[in-house]
Amino acid sequence: MKNRHFSFAWTCASIATVCFLLAGCIGTPTKFHSVVLTPSAPQTVDQGGTVNISAAVLNDTSSAGVTWSVSGSGTLSATTTTSATYSAPASVTSSITDTVTATSVTFPSSSASLKITVVRAPAITTTSLSAASIGVAYNATVS
């Protein structure tokens, strides 16, 4: 008797079928097509600052990537299907929080969001300044 060798090509569909038959689960695992952002933790940036963000869609064999959106006062630039740059407003009167969302092109029900808090620059006010001379370094103590 000759030895017969069999090979199997496992696909997402066949793995899901085996899962269904053996373990009784239904459908695709919840995080199978998750969108993963880097950074993933909330960010804090000064007014006028930027945050570079990258995204990946797990198990996306089409490599279609994501679309980007922002809610709040900031803007997105240099957007590709895998990265974007968030730009904070140049000036804020108090801290604000914007949300950047990446949504999978292939699996539009999968998305991930990143919260970005924009803080205002400290304000220093004074009622008087010491006399100064042109061309000489100025030094004052703020208390």
Side-chain angles (χ1 to χ4, degrees), residues 61 67 96 117:
T61 57
T67 58
I96 61 168
T117 299

Side-chain angles (χ1 to χ4, degrees), residues 23 79 86 89 112 114 142:
T79 57
Y86 167 84
L114 176 66
V142 178

